[in-house]
Amino acid sequence: MSNFSTGLRNWSRKALYNKIDLVTQACYTQILPGLYLSNAKAAADKDILRRLNITHVLTVEARRLPKSTFEGTNISTLYIRAYDTPHTNLLPYFPMANAFIEEGMQAGNVLVHCHFGVSRSATIVIAYIMEKYKLTFEQAFLYVRQRRKFINPNPGFVNQLKEFQRLNYDVNGFHRFEAYVHVNARKHKYKIASLAAVAVGVLVPIAVLVG
């Protein structure tokens, strides 16, 4: 295990948020009405999903949640495979993720998570808030950090969020298509989320993973 990974794991085990261990304990935070940011432990907890009336779960992780998490539910899921490294490029996924979150908030409540709920998922939530409210990276980052004090997108993600701002919250069609292909290549069953989500993709279908 790299020093970076070891350091992050040890740091996550400290008393960052009411002495919650982000590896072993469920930890979720409401960022907006209808939008929650959490670690994997909370996202895999059926009782929490039920209590929060979650209808959409967005996973930004190296691996999916167990299929059993969503058995017997009508929860829509989107899985973006991503590692928490500065070289991982999340920018192409912002339009897809933002469309998924927006649709979820119209239908019910959305939970976005990675492993700790610190870097990858925080990046996705910041990108959504930037686009929705036309905020700078700094403004959106501070807003999210006020609610979840230990978010810490890695330097590569910070640069991508700043680039998203520079691009006026847009990503060109080629990169959107690239993101769609990467998601669609997972050999899972997909369905089109909605006409609105397709429109956001500029004629590129936005695929939403189900169960």
Side-chain angles (χ1 to χ4, degrees), residues 17 20-30 36-54 56-59 61 65-66 68-70 75 110-118 121 148 150:
Y17 186 72
I20 290 177
D21 183 333
L22 295 176
V23 176
T24 63
Q25 292 178 266
C27 176
Y28 61 87
T29 307
Q30 185 179 57
Y36 296 85
L37 175 56
S38 85
N39 62 353
K41 189 74 173 179
D45 190 318
K46 284 187 172 183
D47 290 335
I48 289 176
L49 297 179
R50 189 179 307 110
R51 187 187 320 140
L52 299 179
N53 296 315
I54 298 298
H56 290 62
V57 172
L58 198 167
T59 299
E61 255 274 37
L65 292 172
S68 59
T69 304
F70 306 109
I75 294 176
V110 184
L111 186 143
V112 182
H113 81 94
C114 53
H115 194 67
F116 299 116
V118 169
S121 55
R148 192 169 174 90
F150 49 84

Side-chain angles (χ1 to χ4, degrees), residues 115-136:
H115 194 67
F116 299 116
V118 169
S119 181
R120 287 165 289 188
S121 55
T123 297
I124 293 296
V125 169
I126 291 169
Y128 172 75
I129 290 175
M130 286 173 64
E131 180 179 358
K132 183 175 181 65
Y133 298 105
K134 300 299 181 281
L135 299 179
T136 65

Side-chain angles (χ1 to χ4, degrees), residues 187-198:
K187 297 183 179 180
H188 299 302
K189 294 180 180 179
Y190 295 86
K191 69 177 180 181
I192 297 301
S194 69
L195 292 177
V198 173

Side-chain angles (χ1 to χ4, degrees), residues 44-116:
D45 190 318
K46 284 187 172 183
D47 290 335
I48 289 176
L49 297 179
R50 189 179 307 110
R51 187 187 320 140
L52 299 179
N53 296 315
I54 298 298
T55 59
H56 290 62
V57 172
L58 198 167
T59 299
V60 197
E61 255 274 37
R63 60 181 63 85
R64 297 182 62 201
L65 292 172
K67 288 185 177 181
S68 59
T69 304
F70 306 109
E71 287 178 356
T73 76
N74 291 318
I75 294 176
S76 296
T77 66
L78 174 63
Y79 169 52
I80 298 172
R81 184 179 183 185
Y83 294 91
D84 185 18
T85 71
H87 302 294
T88 296
N89 189 9
L90 287 179
L91 180 61
Y93 296 93
F94 290 168
M96 180 189 299
N98 289 355
F100 181 81
I101 293 171
E102 183 63 25
E103 180 178 276
M105 292 180 68
Q106 295 297 323
N109 294 329
V110 184
L111 186 143
V112 182
H113 81 94
C114 53
H115 194 67
F116 299 116

